[in-house]
Amino acid sequence: MQTTTSYRPLALAVLLALGANVAQAQVTAKPAGKPTAAEAKRFLAQTESKLEKLGIDGARAEWVASNFITDDTEAIAAYFGELQLDAGGQAALAARRYKGLKLPDDDARKLKLLQLTLMLSDPKERAEYAGARAALNGAYGKAKYCPPQGSPIADGKDCLALGELEKILANSREPAKLQQAWAGWHSQAPSYKDRYADFVKLSNKGAREMGFADTGALWRSQYDMAPDAFAAEMERLWQQVKPLYDSLHTYTRYKLRAAYGPEVVPATGPIPAHLFGNMWSQTWDNIYPLLKPAGDTAGFDLTKVLEERKTSAREMTEYAERFYTSLGMQKLPASFWERSLLTKPRDREVVCHASAWPIDGKDDVRIKMCITPTAEDFTVIHHELGHIYYFLEYQKQPVLFRQGANDGFHEAIGDTVALSITPGYLKQVGLMKEEPDPKGDIPELLKRALSKVAILPFAYSVDRWRWDVYAGKTQPADYDKTWWQLREQYMGVSRPAPALQNGFDAGAKYHVAADVPYARYFLADLLQFQFHRSLCREAGYTGPLHQCSIYGNQKAGKKLQAMLQMGTSKPWPEELKAISGEERIDGNALLEYFAPLKTWLDEQNRQLAAQQKG
Ligand code: X8Z
Ligand code: ZN
C-alpha cells in the first residue's frame, strides 16, 4: 500500500499500494522472441491494470492491521505483504527485458520506476521479511511504558501510551518528570531490536537481488539522480541552512539554562534531549513559552482556543478541508468521513502515528490520526489532507505515476498549505480575535522556526543513520552509539539518561520501526518554502513571506493543482521548475522567510553572551 507515512521504496510502494497475488504475478512470465516497444507497452498496460485491482486487498489488510492491532490482523497484513513483495519483484524482473530498447518517455519512465524495488526470490525469506515488517509496525503501535507504582508521571494509570508520554514532554517543566517520560518510551524499543536487525538483513538481500548495493542505496536511487549525487545534495542543503539552525540552538540554550539552571543545561556541548518539548527533540514549538521574546505579551495560544471551544476532531478536519476547497479543490468524498479514523479509540490498540491512505486512490481515500484539539494537530491535519488531495488530484494518471513527484513533494503539500495559517488567516476564520501587531512578527517567526528550522538536522540525520545501518557500517551492537553520535553532531542534543543494555533508541521513532524513509521530510521542509514563495507570488502578494496566506486564492490553487495532477509522470526537477521556476531543491526560500528572525536571534545571542560575561 502507499500510505504516505508508510511509503515504501518507490516502485514497491506502488505495488504495495496496488497489492498483487501470486497467480497474477505470472503475467510477467517471459515472452519469447526479441522484445519490442509495442510489447513493452502491452506489458505495462497489463501490469498496471492487474496491479491496480490487486492493490486494494493489500491496502485494506494493512489498514485493518493498523486500526486493530492483534496477532491475527498482523498475520493477515504479513500475508498480503508477502504476496505484494512477490508480485513487485516479478514485475521488476520482467521489466528488465526492455532494457536498452527505444521507447516513448512515459513507458521508459514506468519501466524504471518498476525496477526501484526489492526482490526476494526465496519464498521463505519473503515470508520472513513481510512478517518482520508487520510485527515491527504492530510492536511500535502497541508499546506502552508502565512506570513503577506511585511514580509522579503515572497519574493514576498503570501504563502510558506514547500519546500520554508525549503530552508530558510537551507540558511539564519538571526535569525529573520529563526525563522519566523520555526514558520510559525509549525503554520500549529494545524488545524489537533483534527483529529490526533481522529485517535489515532481509531487506538488503532484496535490494541486492535487484542490483542495488543495499536498501539505503535503493532509497537514494529514487530521486531521478545517482544515489551518491543524492547524498551529496542532502549534505549541500544541510550546510546551506546550518547557520540558521546554529543561531536557533544557541538562543534556545540560553533560554533553557535560564529556565532549568546550569546543572541541567550545560554552557557548551549538546543539550539533554528531554528538554525540547518533544519525544525526539525534532520540533520545539511546545517550549515556546520558555523561549518567547520578552515583549511577547499578546500570548495568543491556538491550543487554548481549540481546547476551550472543545473543537472536535471532525471540526479540526473541516477547517483543513475548507482551506483546500478555498483553493478550488473538491470536497472530501463521503467515504472519507465514514472510513477515516479521527480519534483514538478507547477499547483497542491502534497505530496512532498520523497517516493518509489512498486505498483505491479514487473514491476511497482515508486518514488515520488520533486528533486532539492542539495547535500541533491543527497543522498535522492540514499535512494529512495535503496527502489526500495529492491522491485525489493525480488519480487520472496511469497507476505507476500515482505518486508524488518525489516523496519530499508528497510531504510538502500539506505543510505548504499550513504555512498559510497566519494570524491574518486565523482571524478570518474566527479562531483569533485580534491580529497581533505585524511589526512585532518575531514571535510568529520564532514559533514557526521551532518546528521548521528545528527539524532540519533531525530530518537529515535519521537517514544518515539508516544509510550506514543498511550499508553494514553500523552493526546492531553500535546502533545506539552511532545514533547518538549523529544526534550530538547535527542536532546538538544528548541522551538524557545512561545508555541501555542492548538499547535501540532509533527504534523509538515510528519511521525507523515502520521502515519509512525519512529524507523526504528534510526535502519537504525546504520545498514547502519554495512552493509557498511561488504560490504567494502567483497570488500577487509582494509583502514578507511569513505574512502571506493563499487562503481563498484560486489562482494560486490552480498552480498547485496543476503540479499535483502530474503525479510522478515527469522527473521532479521539471515539476519543480513548472511551479517555482527553480530546478533544484534549495534552502534559499526558507532562509528568505526566516531572514528577520536570523538577524534577531544573532542580536539576542550577542547580548546574552555579553550579559553572561558581564
Ligand atoms: O510522519 C509525519 C506525518 C505523517 S507523513 C505526521 N511527519 C514526520 C514526523 O512526525 O516525524 C510530519 C513531519 C515529520
Ligand atoms: Zn506526511
Side-chain angles (χ1 to χ4, degrees):
M1 63 143 200
Q2 177 221 343
T3 76
T4 48
T5 47
S6 312
Y7 269 135
R8 302 327 203 267
L10 189 60
L12 180 60
V14 173
L15 292 158
L16 293 177
L18 304 166
N21 73 32
V22 181
Q24 274 155 314
Q26 303 308 326
V27 292
T28 54
K30 243 190 188 166
K34 258 184 142 207
T36 63
E39 181 202 314
K41 200 175 264 314
R42 271 198 308 277
F43 161 75
L44 283 168
Q46 273 181 355
T47 305
E48 285 193 295
S49 85
K50 294 215 161 130
L51 294 178
E52 181 168 23
K53 289 192 210 89
L54 296 169
I56 297 168
D57 291 345
R60 288 201 170 127
E62 201 155 343
W63 171 267
V64 174
S66 292
N67 274 274
F68 306 81
I69 306 176
T70 69
D71 293 340
D72 293 321
T73 58
E74 182 182 308
I76 292 166
Y79 172 75
F80 280 98
E82 192 185 327
L83 297 182
Q84 291 164 337
L85 189 61
D86 185 30
Q90 299 274 358
L93 283 187
R96 286 180 171 174
R97 173 172 160 80
Y98 308 101
K99 192 167 179 237
L101 210 58
K102 180 104 193 71
L103 295 167
D105 287 351
D106 274 8
D107 292 348
R109 183 162 177 81
K110 286 181 186 173
L111 289 167
K112 186 179 133 188
L113 295 176
L114 265 181
Q115 291 173 75
L116 291 170
T117 190
L118 303 177
M119 158 76 195
L120 281 166
S121 48
D122 178 346
K124 193 168 152 272
E125 288 175 344
R126 275 203 302 276
E128 280 169 12
Y129 173 93
R133 175 159 209 125
L136 285 163
N137 193 43
Y140 184 93
K142 64 185 175 205
K144 281 199 173 86
Y145 169 56
C146 307
Q149 280 223 319
S151 190
I153 71 165
D155 194 23
K157 298 196 184 89
D158 287 342
C159 297
L160 301 169
L162 173 60
E164 290 157 322
L165 295 165
E166 284 186 273
K167 224 169 163 179
I168 297 170
L169 263 297
N171 299 324
S172 171
R173 303 292 179 243
E174 291 175 48
K177 275 194 181 177
L178 294 171
Q179 210 250 17
Q180 197 190 349
W182 189 98
W185 178 247
H186 284 78
S187 68
Q188 301 312 299
S191 69
Y192 45 84
K193 178 176 173 179
D194 290 347
R195 202 131 212 183
Y196 181 78
D198 290 344
F199 174 79
V200 165
K201 278 195 211 137
L202 287 162
S203 179
N204 272 336
K205 187 141 192 291
R208 289 183 187 127
E209 280 197 44
M210 273 312 291
F212 296 95
D214 56 67
T215 297
L218 164 60
W219 287 4
R220 295 190 300 279
S221 300
Q222 289 165 3
Y223 297 94
D224 295 303
M225 63 175 92
D228 286 355
F230 179 71
E233 204 46 9
M234 290 283 284
E235 178 63 22
R236 172 184 76 82
L237 293 167
W238 165 240
Q239 290 305 332
Q240 201 183 5
V241 294
K242 182 176 182 299
L244 176 58
Y245 178 78
D246 289 344
S247 297
L248 184 66
H249 185 273
T250 302
Y251 173 77
T252 302
R253 181 198 301 279
Y254 282 121
K255 293 292 180 173
L256 287 177
R257 265 170 84 80
Y260 291 117
E263 48 311 319
V264 181
V265 184
T268 57
I271 301 171
H274 61 312
L275 304 176
F276 292 89
N278 175 278
M279 187 60 82
W280 308 274
S281 333
Q282 65 183 67
T283 48
W284 309 345
D285 14 359
N286 289 323
I287 56 164
Y288 176 75
L290 301 181
L291 308 185
K292 71 178 182 190
D296 183 19
T297 46
F300 174 74
D301 182 348
L302 181 57
T303 299
K304 216 166 133 219
V305 175
L306 295 168
E307 256 174 16
E308 276 171 9
R309 295 189 184 180
K310 300 199 170 42
T311 314
S312 68
R314 186 173 173 122
E315 286 164 340
M316 299 266 286
T317 313
E318 284 168 348
Y319 274 111
E321 182 192 29
R322 278 194 293 275
F323 204 118
Y324 289 88
T325 53
S326 89
L327 296 175
M329 298 188 204
Q330 66 176 84
K331 287 193 75 132
L332 292 167
S335 60
F336 170 91
W337 297 106
E338 284 153 17
R339 296 175 192 172
S340 289
L341 177 105
L342 300 181
T343 46
K344 184 172 169 26
R346 283 186 207 177
D347 57 347
R348 61 179 206 262
E349 310 278 8
V350 302
V351 180
C352 263
H353 191 88
S355 53
W357 300 62
I359 302 285
D360 69 2
K362 291 187 171 159
D363 311 312
D364 189 352
V365 290
R366 316 173 188 175
I367 64 165
K368 181 175 61 58
M369 181 174 166
C370 303
I371 302 178
T372 54
T374 60
E376 190 175 341
D377 278 2
F378 195 73
T379 308
V380 175
I381 187 64
H382 286 75
H383 175 98
E384 293 309 326
L385 290 200
H387 290 308
I388 294 290
Y389 279 100
Y390 219 152
F391 302 150
L392 292 172
E393 292 291 337
Y394 60 49
Q395 60 172 294
K396 296 216 172 75
Q397 285 289 343
V399 173
L400 287 167
F401 292 158
R402 286 182 210 155
Q403 294 278 334
N406 68 38
D407 54 7
F409 280 57
H410 226 304
E411 297 303 339
I413 302 311
D415 284 12
T416 303
V417 165
L419 285 178
S420 282
I421 305 175
T422 55
Y425 165 77
L426 290 172
K427 180 148 185 269
Q428 210 177 333
V429 300
L431 284 167
M432 193 189 241
K433 276 205 197 96
E434 276 314 311
E435 236 182 280
D437 175 4
K439 276 189 252 103
D441 31 5
I442 291 299
E444 285 309 312
L445 275 173
L446 180 58
K447 270 186 214 161
R448 271 266 144 77
L450 294 178
S451 60
K452 303 297 175 185
V453 178
I455 200 173
L456 286 161
F458 177 78
Y460 178 36
S461 60
V462 170
D463 280 357
R464 282 290 302 265
W465 181 80
R466 270 191 299 200
W467 293 345
D468 282 352
V469 166
Y470 276 121
K473 288 186 197 151
T474 296
Q475 290 294 321
D478 291 328
Y479 277 179
D480 270 2
K481 191 173 120 209
T482 55
W483 178 254
W484 285 105
Q485 273 169 355
L486 288 164
R487 246 103 289 279
E488 292 192 11
Q489 182 188 342
Y490 289 99
M491 298 169 68
V493 310
S494 58
R495 196 176 203 283
L500 296 175
Q501 189 89 34
N502 202 30
F504 184 30
D505 288 340
K509 178 70 195 161
Y510 169 77
H511 301 71
V512 174
D515 201 45
V516 181
Y518 211 86
R520 60 185 60 182
Y521 300 107
F522 181 78
L523 303 178
D525 211 52
L526 305 177
L527 276 168
Q528 62 192 261
F529 288 93
Q530 292 177 274
F531 295 157
H532 178 67
R533 182 167 67 183
S534 73
L535 295 175
C536 289
R537 282 182 189 150
E538 186 73 10
Y541 180 85
T542 52
L545 282 178
H546 60 277
Q547 286 170 17
C548 165
S549 177
I550 59 165
Y551 180 65
N553 193 292
Q554 306 241 335
K555 202 160 168 249
K558 271 218 166 63
K559 187 149 203 180
L560 180 59
Q561 260 175 303
M563 183 181 83
L564 301 184
Q565 283 166 6
M566 287 168 82
T568 192
S569 59
K570 298 278 178 282
W572 66 262
E574 271 180 49
E575 300 202 20
L576 182 57
K577 183 140 197 214
I579 191 168
S580 71
E582 297 169 283
E583 271 173 301
R584 289 175 110 185
I585 300 177
D586 200 78
N588 70 63
L590 177 142
L591 295 176
E592 181 186 334
Y593 185 100
F594 287 112
L597 181 73
K598 172 83 165 91
T599 309
W600 183 86
L601 286 171
D602 290 345
E603 177 54 23
Q604 295 296 306
N605 291 340
R606 202 187 53 74
Q607 285 176 17
L608 289 160
Q611 267 171 32
Q612 210 168 53
K613 273 205 194 114

